[in-house]
């Protein structure tokens, strides 16, 4: 330590007992001053008073020369002599000596204070620490090149500010963050409280926001800001940047300190005057004038507060303004796009960054997103543990955090953190192994109960801030200062309410209470009592908050996991005594260390969140806070993203199960057709499928246990496990049902199958006999045909003598007969059929032409529409009675054709049509057409049911439906059922009509007959017969397998099909927009499942026709052909080998061959009694192999269209998979829930909603379409009628209280930013008006901004919305 000079400061407290009235710096030189000449000379030269301690003052002493020199110096001198016991003596002016022998330290101290005080009371030299840099030979940090570079850059900025009124610096050089930014925040918040014509009002405000951004762009990039950004960009090393920022802060503080002091002094004087007037109860204008002056000084004080944080805030606003306008920097301009990168580098190096602007009370989301994106780019998407801190103003939060983590949050009374700041703290390598995160992200906040805010603004600000930081944090420290119960109660009420909100939105932060400035933290009993009182207050606050938030909670532990014994910490005072000269309290450091240990132990149990998840949380929480109904408005983007990922996995798991069950079904179906299986047991199906099911269960366990978001996934684990189990059971039961039908059909056809065998045997026998007779005429084709036809006719007559041909359906005639039997005029039926309008009955926009009014009822009854819809109709009316009478008169004399039915009534008619369609098709499809054939009774039965449903519907309405409606509805139902009835009847006919069967075999047996005639051996003819059977069965097997494999290929790799339900929705909408297909849009709007089904079919067709799709399909086909070829070849080889070994006959060979084909091919055994002379099975094998070559060649070149002819079709398989999801519609706009899981427990939701005009929603008693988005409406102050007969209006913000249809929908405000539906409404304005018979006029006028959106922007907005 020798040679080291220490410095200590004395700062007066401004009290009478202060030792000195000015700040004094005491410098102490360690070691022997005689030998430390350089240090001694510097100190004695610079000091105001020199104090020297010597052992003696005798002549000749080695110290005498130094003492003599100091004595001659003009500087005051105090000599302390160790071996002298004399008192303080003034030797001459400014020169003192004092003995120390036999004196206590306090005596010496008092005498020294007196002497120094006396010296300093007169003229004396002052000391400036900066002057040390000028001393030759003294090296200071400021001389370092890196430091000088940083200081030089900072000086350039500060030089521009010199001589300027500090209160005007921000307005002049930092204009983006002032009035413009505050006005932007105000208007942005107003977007959540819209009134009147909501969409048009919203467009105006958004236009104003863009204008403000344009103004910010114009005034941005002031010279100081350009210098600041350029300096950060040009300074290469982190050290240079640190010095630059530190110098900038020091110089800015020096610039503003003097002005701030004078403003504060004026403020104190003015405040004293106001208090004085209040004490006198002076109510004159003087008091008001003084208060106005006080407010003006307060504003001036706010303007004069200027620091580094304001420069970063300006950077943020510059970035936001330019980014929102997508304005690229011009040549020579500062590149604003670099701002986030520069800020990210500083944040990574440990600088705090503003998260919430406390002055504007707003979070600059664009800036924060850009900043965090850059941090992620540089660090990767690291995991962070977010520690939030809440507490009253000036409660020591920042001091505590700085002590705990070595942070740099601004401290000191009167200059508290304004807003919320975040700072990254890296977890050191030695302890990182104990944690699942890489950084601690500390969020420090502006104190609660800030004095600058008053009244309701305080409460709202506190609730907003508390909810925001509590939601962000994995853990929240609640800092309570002192032991004032009232102060504590205010904080607790805010904090408890914030935690309750978190519980309702499924966020679960932990909390620790820090009780600072406690006088006696060692008093255990007192602490226990304090904890008990805290627990009581928390429970009381929980009960109060529960009423406010409409939640059941009796105590605080119902809201959050909390242990009062472990989660409450008591802190000693920071200082021992009164500052500024009080020493730090060692107990404070111990408390900080103990708290740090607690935080880290809790942090070990948390995985934290990734930086990208933190970014999403900031967005979600702030967007929800903008809306008054925080819990209903909160949209947890992170949770939605995790759930969507889970939906994709669920789709993959169910697809694996479905594919496996299709394979099992296919195999068993073949066995049934081969006659090898006549009963399917559930247990057998479970055994067959359990292996795959077990694999899926293991995959689910791995996913839920090991995924990085496992903590969030746990909430859905039980439901998805049970859903998979349900799906597996449903698949097994469905496959059993299908196979039971096949068995039933097989049994129904058994009689014909027996006849087929008999027919084939007789035909072979007759062919053989006839061929023997006609050997000589083998080359005369005409004679052979003539002879064969004669035998064939006789044989067919003989075999079908007792069976009647099954007639085809005459569907058109049956329909007309049924309708006329119902009493419907032929002219109505004919007119509907000719026009074809019945086919479009589900797509009709306006059903008014189907309605006739009865008893002068008003069709325009109250419907589910907003109060705003009436404003044009009620404008200028007198009393309610008069307006009611007038409306009644208008209705009475209105012609029937001019009546306009309401949106709700249109919806009811549309629902009737859907219900009739579904019930009728279900009834038709329940008939055993495939096993027993079509019956004339089916259509009358359905027609009567339809007529009954229409009659029942009319009985509950104030209007009747015209006959034309019933006719069109019946024809529509018949039209929808026609295809299924025809296909089922054809299947029945194919399986049961002997006439059709024998006709189909004529050519095949003519070829066999001709072979016999030409002298072909039994091996050749049998080989030909076998190849004929193999040909049809291999085509069927290959096509079915190819259909399954191709469906799997598309499900796994085709972009529209390889995701969740939302992904399919996006591609459906993209397709509609690209084709600009209005008809398709209308189908999608009213019948989304129908459109999705059509889209899947279209995409499968389109993919097969592309080079890529065709290539993949051909590869799949080739692989399946090769597999079948190997199977048949192996069966041929093994059957032949076995027969030769056992010296078997043709029947044995046939039995073995068919059994080896197992469940892969349908192959009915051929009776070999006509081939008993077969003696060479090798020759038979060769013949079949020859035929097999041509079969396989034909199969390889098979058209992919053949897949449509067989049981398995790729589009149908994909439709079953992709459309087995939720199809519930939004009660406001009919947007379809996009949850992949059918019958899900979560609220219905959709990534975006749409304008009500899309579904024809219009104003009551008007033809004005209603254009509002429900996502905008629920953020407004408007109300709506929940049903057509409701008398009570519900505020949009409370929409969940409107009934069961509304309560299970999660609709969050999104400002209806999506351009897609705005483009649709603008693009098809005329078509929508014609379709619904309504107009875009009045309050339904389309905002001009909507018409600026292009098709390309609309499609692009889908990607942005579905992939946020």
């Amino acid at each position: 330590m020798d040679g080291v000079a220490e410095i200590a400061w004395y700062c007066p407290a401004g009290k009478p007992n202060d030792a000195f009235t000015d700040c004094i710096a005491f410098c102490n030189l360690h070691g022997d001053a005689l030998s430390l000449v350089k240090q001694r000379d510097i100190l004695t030269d610079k000091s105001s008073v020199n104090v020297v301690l010597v052992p003696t003052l005798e002549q000749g002493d080695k110290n005498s020369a130094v003492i003599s020199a100091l004595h001659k110096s003009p500087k005051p001198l105090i000599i302390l002599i160790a071996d002298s016991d004399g008192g303080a003596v003034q030797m001459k002016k400014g020169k003192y000596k004092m003995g120390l022998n036999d004196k206590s330290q306090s005596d010496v101290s008092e005498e020294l204070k007196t002497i120094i005080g006396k010296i300093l009371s007169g003229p004396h030299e002052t000391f400036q620490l900066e002057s040390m840099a000028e001393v030759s030979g003294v090296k200071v940090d400021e001389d370092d090149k890196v430091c000088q570079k940083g200081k030089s850059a900072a000086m350039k900025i500060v030089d521009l500010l010199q001589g300027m009124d500090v209160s005007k610096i921000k307005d002049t050089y930092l204009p983006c963050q002032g009035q413009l930014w505050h006005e932007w925040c105000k208007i942005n918040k107003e977007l959540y409280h819209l009134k009147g014509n909501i969409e048009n009002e919203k467009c105006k405000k958004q236009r104003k926001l863009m204008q403000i951004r344009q103004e910010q762009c114009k005034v941005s990039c002031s010279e100081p800001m350009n210098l600041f950004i350029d300096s950060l960009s040009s300074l290469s090393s982190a050290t240079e940047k640190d010095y630059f920022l530190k110098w900038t802060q020091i110089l800015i503080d020096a610039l503003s300190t003097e002005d701030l002091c004078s403003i504060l002094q004026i403020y104190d004087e003015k405040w004293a005057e106001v208090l004085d007037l209040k004490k006198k109860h002076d109510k004159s204008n003087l008091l008001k004038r003084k208060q106005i002056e006080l407010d003006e000084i307060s504003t001036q004080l706010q303007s004069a507060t200027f620091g580094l944080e304001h420069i970063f805030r300006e950077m943020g606003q510059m970035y936001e303004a330019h980014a929102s306008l997508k304005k690229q920097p011009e040549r020579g301009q500062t590149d604003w796009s670099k701002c986030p990168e520069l800020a990210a580098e500083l944040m990574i190096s440990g600088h705090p960054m503003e998260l919430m602007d406390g002055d504007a009370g707003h979070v600059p989301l664009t800036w924060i997103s850009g900043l965090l994106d850059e941090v992620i780019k540089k660090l990767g998407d690291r995991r962070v543990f977010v520690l939030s801190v809440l507490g009253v103003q000036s409660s020591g939060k920042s001091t505590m955090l700085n002590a705990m983590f070595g942070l740099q949050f601004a401290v000191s009374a009167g200059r508290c953190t304004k807003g919320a700041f975040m700072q990254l703290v890296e977890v050191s390598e030695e302890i990182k192994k104990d944690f699942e995160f890489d950084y601690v992200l500390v969020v420090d906040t502006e104190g609660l109960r800030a004095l600058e805010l008053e009244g309701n603004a305080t409460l709202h600000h506190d609730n907003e801030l508390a909810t925001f930081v509590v939601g962000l944090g994995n853990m929240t420290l609640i800092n309570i200062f002192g032991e004032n119960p009232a102060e504590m109660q205010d904080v607790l009420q805010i904090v408890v309410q914030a935690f309750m909100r978190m519980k309702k939105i499924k966020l679960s932060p932990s909390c620790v209470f820090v009780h600072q400035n406690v006088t006696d933290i060692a008093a255990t009993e007192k602490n226990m009592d304090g904890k008990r009182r805290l627990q009581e207050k928390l429970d009381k606050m929980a009960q109060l908050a529960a009423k406010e938030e409409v939640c059941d909670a009796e105590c605080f532990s119902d809201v959050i996991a909390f242990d009062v014994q472990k989660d409450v910490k008591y802190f000693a005072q920071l200082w021992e005594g009164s500052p500024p000269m009080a020493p730090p309290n060692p107990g404070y450091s111990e408390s900080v260390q103990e708290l740090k240990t607690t935080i880290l132990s809790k942090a070990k149990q948390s995985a934290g969140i990734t930086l990208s998840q933190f970014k999403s949380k900031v967005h979600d929480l702030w967007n929800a806070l903008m809306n008054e109904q925080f819990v209903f408005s909160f949209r947890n983007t992170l949770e939605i993203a995790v759930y969507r990922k889970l939906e994709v996995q669920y789709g993959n798991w169910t697809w694996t199960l479905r594919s496996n069950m299709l394979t099992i079904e296919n195999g068993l179906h073949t066995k049934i057709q081969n006659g090898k299986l006549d009963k399917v047991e559930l247990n057998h199906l479970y055994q067959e499928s359990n292996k795959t099911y077990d694999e899926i269960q293991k995959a689910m366990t791995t996913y839920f246990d090991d995924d990085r978001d496992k903590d969030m996934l746990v909430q859905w684990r039980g439901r998805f496990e049970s859903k998979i189990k349900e799906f597996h059971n449903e698949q097994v039961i469905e496959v059993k049902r299908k196979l039971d039908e096949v068995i039933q059909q097989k049994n129904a056809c058994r009689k014909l199958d027996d006849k087929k065998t008999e027919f084939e045997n007789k035909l072979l026998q007759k062919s053989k006999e006839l061929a023997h007779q006609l050997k000589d005429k083998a080359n005369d084709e005409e004679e052979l045909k003539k002879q064969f036809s004669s035998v064939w006719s006789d044989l067919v007559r003989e075999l079908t003598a007792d069976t009647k041909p099954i007639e085809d359906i005459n569907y058109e005639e049956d329909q007309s007969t049924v309708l006329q039997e119902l009493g419907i005029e032929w002219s109505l039926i004919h007119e509907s059929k000719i026009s074809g309008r019945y086919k479009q009955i589900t797509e009709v926009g306006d059903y008014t032409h189907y309605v006739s009014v009865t008893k002068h009822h008003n069709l325009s009854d109250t419907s589910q529409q907003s109060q705003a819809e009436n404003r044009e109709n009620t404008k200028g009316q007198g009393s309610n009675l008069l307006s009611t009478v007038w409306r009644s008169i208008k209705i009475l004399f209105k012609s029937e054709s001019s009546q306009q039915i309401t949106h709700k009534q249109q919806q009811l008619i549309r629902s009737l049509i859907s219900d009739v369609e579904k019930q009728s098709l279900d009834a038709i499809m329940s008939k055993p057409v495939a096993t027993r054939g079509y019956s004339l009774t089916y259509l009358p039965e359905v027609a009567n049911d339809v007529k009954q449903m229409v009659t029942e519907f009319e009985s509950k309405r104030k209007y009747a439906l015209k006959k034309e409606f019933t006719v069109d509805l019946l024809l529509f139902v018949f039209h929808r059922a026609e295809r299924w009835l025809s296909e089922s009847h054809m299947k029945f006919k194919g399986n049961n009509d002997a006439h059709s069967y024998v006709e189909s075999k004529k050519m095949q047996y003519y070829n066999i007959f001709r072979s016999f005639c030409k002298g072909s051996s039994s091996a050749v003819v049998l080989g030909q017969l076998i190849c004929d059977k193999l040909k049809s069965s291999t085509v069927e097997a290959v096509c079915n397998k190819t259909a399954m494999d191709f469906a799997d290929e598309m499900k796994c790799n085709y972009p529209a099909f390889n995701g969740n339900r939302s992904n399919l929705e996006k591609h459906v909408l993209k397709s509609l927009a690209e084709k600009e297909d209005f008809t398709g849009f209308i189908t999608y709007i009213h019948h989304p499942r129908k459109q999705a089904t059509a889209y899947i079919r279209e995409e499968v067709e389109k993919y097969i026709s592309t080079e890529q799709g065709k290539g993949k399909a051909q590869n799949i086909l080739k692989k399946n052909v090769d597999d079948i070829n190997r199977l048949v070849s192996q069966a041929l080889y093994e059957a032949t080998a076995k027969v030769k070994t056992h010296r078997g006959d043709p029947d044995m060979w046939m039995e073995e061959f068919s059994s080896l084909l197992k469940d892969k091919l349908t192959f009915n055994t051929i009776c070999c009694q006509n081939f008993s002379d077969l003696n060479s099975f090798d020759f038979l094998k060769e013949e079949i192999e020859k035929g097999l070559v041509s079969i396989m060649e034909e199969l390889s070149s098979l058209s992919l269209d053949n897949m449509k002819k067989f049981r398995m079709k790729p589009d149908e398989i994909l439709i079953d998979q992709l459309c087995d999801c939720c199809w519930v519609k939004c009660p406001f706009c009919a947007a379809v829930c996009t949850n992949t899981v059918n019958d899900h427990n979560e609220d219905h939701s959709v990534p975006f909603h749409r304008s009500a005009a899309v579904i024809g929603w219009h104003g009551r008693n008007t033809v004005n379409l209603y254009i509002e988005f429900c996502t905008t409406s629920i953020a407004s102050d408007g109300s709506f009628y929940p049903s057509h007969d409701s008398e009570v209006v519900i505020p949009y913000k409370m929409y969940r209280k409107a009934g069961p249809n509304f309560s299970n929908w999660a609709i969050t405000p999104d400002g209806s930013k999506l351009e897609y539906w705005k483009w649709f409404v603008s693009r098809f304005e005329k078509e929508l008006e014609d379709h619904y018979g309504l107009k875009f006029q009045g309050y339904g006028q389309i905002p001009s901004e909507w018409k600026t959106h292009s098709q390309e922007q609309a499609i692009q907005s889908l990607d942005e919305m579905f992939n946020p």
Side-chain angles (χ1 to χ4, degrees), residues 258-523:
E258 196 172 320
D259 283 344
L260 276 173
C261 288
S262 62
I263 294 169
L264 283 168
Q265 196 171 345
I266 296 167
Y267 186 90
D268 287 342
E269 291 168 4
K270 197 63 66 180
W271 178 234
E273 290 175 20
V274 170
L275 286 177
D276 191 44
L277 287 169
K278 282 185 175 179
K279 281 179 186 174
K280 295 175 181 176
H281 302 287
D282 189 332
K283 295 183 180 178
S284 66
N285 288 333
L286 181 62
L287 177 61
K288 289 181 182 176
R289 196 166 62 250
K290 293 287 183 187
Q291 284 178 322
I292 290 168
E293 288 174 8
L294 191 66
D295 289 340
E296 287 172 354
I297 297 167
S298 180
T299 304
Q300 191 182 358
L301 182 65
Q302 192 69 29
S303 299
T305 306
F306 175 46
L308 200 57
E309 65 271 20
H310 296 100
I311 295 177
F312 282 117
R313 189 182 290 174
E314 186 74 7
M315 271 177 70
Q317 281 312 300
M318 283 169 58
Y319 176 77
E320 288 216 329
H322 286 87
S324 62
L325 298 176
K326 296 177 181 172
K327 206 172 178 187
Q328 294 304 314
E330 294 175 13
R331 211 170 188 181
Q333 273 192 343
T334 300
D335 189 356
W336 57 266
S337 63
K338 292 285 183 187
C339 290
E341 184 183 351
L342 296 172
E345 287 171 358
L346 297 175
M347 186 173 171
I348 292 166
S349 65
H351 286 271
M353 285 291 154
E354 187 173 60
L355 182 59
M356 177 198 266
D357 181 341
D359 292 325
H362 212 89
V363 176
L365 291 176
T366 308
W367 167 245
I368 296 300
S369 294
L371 169 61
L372 291 173
D373 284 340
E374 288 297 331
V375 173
I376 292 167
K377 273 186 195 174
K378 292 177 182 301
L379 294 180
D381 198 7
R382 298 295 189 89
R383 297 195 81 84
V384 295
F385 179 81
V386 184
L387 178 66
S388 297
V389 189
L390 276 174
V392 294
Q393 188 177 18
S394 302
S395 63
K397 300 185 314 316
S398 300
T399 304
M400 177 180 69
L401 292 172
N402 293 350
M404 197 182 308
F405 296 111
L407 305 181
Q408 300 176 31
F409 291 124
V411 295
S412 82
R415 187 140 183 192
C416 279
T417 313
K418 194 74 171 168
F421 287 78
M422 56 183 175
Q423 188 166 343
L424 273 175
V425 182
E426 189 170 8
V427 178
S428 63
E429 289 298 328
E430 56 265 29
I431 65 167
K432 194 175 277 188
K433 62 181 184 300
D434 299 326
F435 298 93
E436 292 184 50
F437 48 84
D438 308 295
Y439 289 85
V440 174
L441 184 69
V442 183
V443 178
D444 188 22
T445 58
E446 171 190 9
L448 299 177
R449 318 300 291 167
L451 295 175
E452 303 89 65
L453 301 166
E454 295 179 5
N456 290 334
T458 308
L459 185 62
H460 180 71
H461 172 268
D462 288 350
N463 281 335
E464 211 171 68
L465 186 68
T467 304
F468 184 60
V469 297
V470 164
L472 285 178
N474 297 108
M475 175 190 281
T476 304
L477 292 182
I478 296 102
N479 196 54
I480 301 167
F481 188 75
E483 299 173 83
N484 183 344
E487 185 95 16
M488 189 165 70
Q489 185 161 317
D490 286 344
V491 178
L492 293 184
Q493 185 171 352
I494 294 159
V495 168
V496 171
Q497 195 159 342
F499 277 121
M500 192 163 286
R501 287 173 166 186
M502 292 310 109
K503 184 182 181 184
K504 290 180 83 171
I505 60 172
K506 300 176 189 173
L507 294 180
S508 307
S510 57
C511 71
V512 172
F513 285 85
V514 178
H515 211 81
Q516 286 213 51
N517 215 40
V518 177
T519 50
D520 185 9
I521 63 168

Side-chain angles (χ1 to χ4, degrees), residues 362 514 600 606 609 631 667 699 768 885 915 940 1043 1045 1158 1289 1317 1354:
H362 212 89
V514 178
L600 293 176
S606 169
I609 57 174
V631 174
K768 202 171 184 180
V885 170
D915 292 344
D1045 292 346
K1158 297 178 182 173
V1289 292
W1317 289 110

Side-chain angles (χ1 to χ4, degrees), residues 799-1036:
L799 290 170
T800 59
D802 57 343
T803 59
K804 207 175 159 186
I806 296 173
E807 300 291 334
D808 289 330
I809 303 174
N810 192 340
Y811 202 68
E812 283 290 317
E813 187 180 316
D814 290 350
Q815 285 183 67
S816 300
T817 304
V818 169
L819 292 175
Q820 286 177 302
E821 284 175 357
L822 286 174
I824 295 169
E825 299 91 333
W826 168 248
S827 59
L828 287 175
I829 302 167
H830 182 68
E831 192 264 327
S832 182
K833 282 188 174 184
I834 291 298
S835 66
R837 67 167 185 256
Y838 67 90
K839 294 178 183 177
Q840 303 300 321
I841 193 169
T842 59
E843 315 299 333
V844 172
D846 181 11
Y847 290 101
T848 304
H849 61 282
Y850 280 128
V851 174
S852 64
V853 184
T854 58
K855 302 176 186 177
H856 304 299
H857 280 307
N858 179 12
L859 292 179
S860 302
D861 60 342
T862 304
S863 63
Q864 177 195 305
Q865 290 155 36
S866 82
Q867 289 174 305
E869 293 167 9
N870 281 321
R871 62 186 172 276
E872 288 196 358
N873 305 322
T874 57
K875 202 179 284 182
Q877 289 180 1
S879 68
N880 288 338
L881 177 62
L882 182 62
S883 64
T884 305
V885 170
W886 173 241
R887 280 201 301 273
S888 300
I889 291 168
K890 282 201 294 183
I891 291 161
L892 191 62
F893 290 99
K894 219 175 204 183
S895 69
E896 191 177 292
S897 61
S898 65
Q899 287 287 324
Q900 176 70 45
I901 62 174
T902 66
H903 168 75
K904 183 63 180 178
Q905 289 161 341
Q906 301 269 16
Q907 292 294 86
L908 289 170
I909 294 171
R910 189 168 280 112
S911 295
L912 168 66
I913 295 167
S914 295
D915 292 344
V916 166
E917 179 187 9
K918 185 178 184 306
Q919 289 186 35
S920 300
L921 290 178
D922 287 348
I924 288 281
M925 289 179 180
S926 67
K927 306 299 182 186
V929 182
T931 53
R932 297 182 191 173
Y934 169 75
S935 168
L936 282 170
T937 62
Y938 294 160
L939 292 187
E941 189 180 317
V942 167
N944 284 320
D945 288 344
V946 170
K947 197 171 180 185
Q948 187 180 340
M949 287 177 76
V950 172
T951 305
E952 194 177 317
F953 177 85
E954 288 177 311
S955 68
K956 297 174 184 176
R957 309 285 172 255
K958 298 176 182 178
Y959 53 86
L961 294 167
K962 294 178 183 177
K963 273 189 179 180
E964 286 87 341
F965 175 81
T966 307
V967 173
D968 287 355
L969 184 57
L970 283 165
L971 285 172
F972 171 71
V973 167
F974 292 160
H975 170 68
R976 291 280 287 115
E978 182 177 6
R979 183 179 168 187
W980 185 86
L981 282 170
S982 299
E983 287 178 357
S984 299
H985 185 70
M986 286 303 292
K987 190 186 288 185
F988 169 74
K989 185 176 179 180
N991 290 332
N992 296 276
D993 188 21
H995 296 266
S996 300
Y997 173 75
V998 294
E999 279 304 316
S1000 69
K1001 293 289 181 183
K1002 184 174 182 180
M1003 201 63 211
Q1004 180 187 349
Y1005 279 92
Y1006 172 71
N1007 288 333
I1008 290 168
F1009 161 72
R1010 192 171 60 178
S1011 294
F1012 277 130
C1013 288
K1014 290 181 177 180
S1016 297
S1017 66
S1018 292
V1020 172
V1021 175
L1022 182 57
Q1024 189 178 342
L1025 263 176
I1026 289 170
C1027 284
D1028 283 341
K1029 283 187 177 285
L1030 282 175
K1031 184 177 178 181
S1032 58
S1033 62
T1034 51
V1035 169
E1036 182 181 9

